[in-house]
Amino acid sequence: MEKISDVLKKRYKILDVNLKLTEAIIRIYYKDIVGQEIYKISEPMALKGKTLFLGVKNSVWAHHLLYFKEEIIKKINSRFGKRVVKDLRFVVSWEEKNREEEKYNEFNENLYIPLDLTNVNLPDEKTAWIDRVCADITDEVLKEKLKEIMKKDVIFKMQKR
């Protein structure tokens, strides 16, 4: 008989949940991980395998960040306690955003499109799946943000059909 944890791990790999969770955590804690100076000029765009794509303001900053590449990778991996990022790629495609501390929070209006979840009924199996995926997350703030992201993802996918 298989352990439920083994079954869930296999299921997570199929759904690529671990990669999405890792990407979400990097996005949420990016400023804390890399520090204010690097945060001002870059932002995580996507995690493909073990390669993290960072959006930067221009090619000058992309070149400058090459000198800090290994340090950034070490900081991200130390946050997770394992090697989740092996390489960084810098992409010049980041629009200038007002990221002054008093005017910016994690859900800047330019980045976050609110979605009213009160009128949408998710199927019970989808809600249960989201709860199972997030069950092992001990950080309550992260858990709630991730649940919200996952619910919105399910809603968007349901609306596409």
Side-chain angles (χ1 to χ4, degrees), residues 21-143:
L21 284 172
T22 302
E23 184 178 326
I25 292 168
I26 290 171
R27 286 176 184 270
I28 291 168
Y29 292 107
Y30 186 67
K31 181 179 174 185
D32 296 333
I33 293 170
V34 299
Q36 180 70 23
E37 295 305 312
I38 293 175
Y39 170 78
K40 284 184 198 176
I41 59 169
S42 66
E43 66 182 353
M45 294 177 66
L47 182 62
K48 308 273 184 184
K50 290 191 179 275
T51 301
L52 178 63
F53 290 82
L54 294 178
V56 294
K57 289 183 175 187
N58 54 48
S59 59
V60 174
W61 284 118
H63 181 74
H64 180 71
L65 286 177
L66 281 173
Y67 295 105
F68 298 98
K69 184 175 177 176
E70 291 303 316
E71 182 181 342
I72 294 169
I73 291 171
K74 283 180 188 177
K75 285 181 177 184
I76 292 169
N77 289 336
S78 69
R79 177 73 179 211
F80 289 88
K82 62 182 180 179
R83 190 173 192 183
V84 295
V85 174
K86 185 178 178 182
D87 192 21
L88 292 179
R89 298 279 172 91
F90 301 104
V91 180
V92 180
S93 66
W94 187 51
E95 293 178 22
E96 185 66 35
K97 295 181 181 75
N98 187 353
R99 296 180 81 166
E100 295 174 26
E101 201 55 39
E102 61 274 3
K103 295 180 182 173
Y104 183 85
N105 62 40
E106 283 126 15
F107 295 103
N108 184 305
E109 292 172 7
N110 296 329
L111 301 174
Y112 178 68
I113 301 168
L115 179 64
D116 184 13
L117 298 177
T118 56
N119 298 330
V120 178
N121 292 324
L122 285 179
D124 290 339
E125 67 271 6
K126 296 290 186 184
T127 304
W129 174 77
I130 291 169
D131 289 339
R132 283 193 308 271
V133 168
C134 298
D136 292 338
I137 300 172
T138 56
D139 184 330
E140 288 301 319
V141 174
L142 176 62
K143 182 187 286 190

